[in-house]
Amino acid sequence: MRRMVAGNWKMNMLADGAAQLAGELRRGAGEPGCELLVCPPATVLAAVAHALLGSVCQVGAQDCHAEASGAHTGDLAAPMLRDAGATHVILGHSERRANHGETDAMVLAKVRAATRAGLVPVVCVGETLAEREGGWAESVVAGQLAGSLPHGFGQSGMAGLVAYEPVWAIGTGRTPTEADIAAMHAAIRHRVGPSVRILYGGSVKPGNAAAILALPEVGGALVGGASLDARSFLAIAAACPA
Ligand code: PEP
């Protein structure tokens, strides 16, 4: 399965910076040995999609509403994101679960909405440090998968990816051991079946990408901080095994 390296720009980038980064990605990407995806904030999504049109780099959103339209001030519906040029959408990121109270049931409704709109959901799961230290990491992630993924997720007619992102590794410079990443990816594979790509996310950098991306069942990376620099992001992509 071809790996994917996806960048989550989070709440960063004004128009000028986004245009510059998109231009650097377009010029620098070459012929990567993996799929590339960038997920800018919604304000610059259409501009970034336009700047990357016809390039190897796909564009995604960072969240969507569960309804297709209606009285939801400030929210964005999946068809709007598709209309703006998105092909994918990150759902259930731990920052949304923690800061916006998103439950598995809410994530599931968003996954269904994204699929209906023709977007490929990238569904994030991952344990907190207390859960890992308590020995519950796998059962927490299993519960999130059971609650967030619809039946048939990732099978024909319902494309989708899972991103395993330990909460304590996001933006901290800390990563699980390679053995722990491999064990969690094997556990996720057991639950989602053979056709779903499973990305690892959490402090992926050019210096650790090759080792992580070579682990069994790691189908790519979801990259936060390092995706804001074209050279770092493309170096991570270049670290994908052929
Ligand atoms: C993320 O937020 O999805 C993420 C993985 O961030 P970082 O790479 O900065 O840890």
Side-chain angles (χ1 to χ4, degrees):
M1 217 182 300
R2 203 160 186 244
R3 288 177 179 74
M4 169 182 276
V5 172
N8 175 10
W9 294 5
K10 309 195 188 193
M11 197 172 72
N12 295 292
M13 291 293 166
L14 302 179
D16 283 354
Q20 186 177 329
L21 181 50
E24 288 169 1
L25 292 172
R26 187 177 186 105
R27 288 190 295 279
E31 286 180 26
C34 62
E35 275 188 56
L36 292 178
L37 173 71
V38 292
C39 300
T43 48
V44 294
L45 176 61
V48 170
H50 185 70
L52 290 172
L53 201 65
S55 80
V56 292
C57 203
Q58 304 170 89
V59 178
Q62 298 176 14
D63 180 43
C64 73
H65 196 274
E67 301 292 331
S69 65
H72 300 288
T73 304
D75 284 319
L76 294 167
M80 295 170 172
L81 301 168
R82 185 96 179 93
D83 192 45
T87 53
H88 293 68
V89 59
I90 297 170
L91 294 173
H93 190 281
S94 63
E95 287 153 14
R96 294 210 59 87
R97 290 179 186 263
N99 303 340
H100 297 268
E102 287 195 6
T103 62
D104 291 333
M106 290 159 76
V107 176
L108 174 63
K110 291 179 178 204
V111 171
R112 291 198 166 116
T115 302
R116 276 195 299 272
L119 293 172
V120 178
V122 181
V123 180
C124 302
V125 294
E127 81 285 356
T128 63
L129 189 57
E131 289 162 346
R132 170 144 302 263
E133 288 177 347
W136 314 309
E138 279 191 25
S139 59
V140 165
V141 167
Q144 290 172 332
L145 293 170
S148 307
L149 303 185
H151 185 69
F153 181 83
Q155 290 164 27
S156 61
M158 204 196 301
L161 296 88
V162 167
Y164 167 55
E165 299 206 300
V167 178
W168 52 275
I170 294 178
T172 60
R174 298 180 62 190
T175 53
T177 64
E178 290 172 20
D180 284 343
I181 296 174
M184 185 62 86
H185 278 246
I188 295 172
R189 169 68 63 224
H190 183 67
R191 287 178 167 80
V192 299
S195 53
V196 175
R197 259 179 302 185
I198 309 165
L199 312 183
Y200 168 79
S203 295
V204 177
K205 309 272 181 248
N208 61 16
I212 292 172
L213 288 163
L215 293 170
E217 304 299 354
V218 173
L222 180 53
V223 183
S227 72
L228 297 173
D229 176 76
R231 247 194 307 173
S232 297
F233 185 63
L234 294 174
I236 293 168
C240 280

